């Protein structure tokens, strides 16, 4: 979760619309989890795609930060 937030923060500076789309995806996933009448624990698997996308952004930002030469 922390890696997803890091990716969101670092990506928001380069691509301002990306965080809006990611938050809409996360909100839609949360709504999908809470909609059914009877709750089952496996519904939380719907939250995995937004978390994986955010984590990928975070890893990419960390690797690009690590590759920058020191001034």
């Amino acid at each position: 979760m922390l890696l997803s937030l890091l990716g969101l923060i670092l990506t928001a500076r380069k691509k301002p619309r990306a965080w809006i789309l990611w938050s809409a995806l996360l909100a839609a996933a949360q709504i999908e989890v809470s909609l059914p009448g009877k709750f089952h624990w496996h519904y939380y698997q719907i939250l995995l795609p937004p978390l994986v996308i955010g984590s990928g952004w975070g890893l990419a930002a960390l690797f690009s930060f690590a590759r920058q030469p020191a001034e």
Side-chain angles (χ1 to χ4, degrees):
M1 184 72 165
L2 292 175
L3 191 56
S4 295
L5 290 175
L6 174 69
L8 177 66
I9 291 168
L10 295 176
T11 304
R13 288 194 280 164
K14 293 181 182 177
K15 301 174 186 175
R17 284 191 336 184
W19 71 272
I20 295 171
L21 295 175
W22 184 81
S23 5
L25 179 63
L26 187 64
Q30 184 61 38
I31 290 170
E32 289 175 11
V33 168
S34 61
L35 272 181
K38 182 173 172 142
F39 178 77
H40 298 284
W41 285 105
H42 68 273
Y43 290 160
Y44 279 115
Q45 291 177 352
I46 297 172
L47 293 172
L48 283 177
L51 292 177
V52 169
I53 291 170
S55 297
W57 285 348
L59 283 174
L62 286 176
F63 286 137
S64 69
F65 181 73
R67 286 188 203 146
Q68 292 176 354
E71 294 182 24

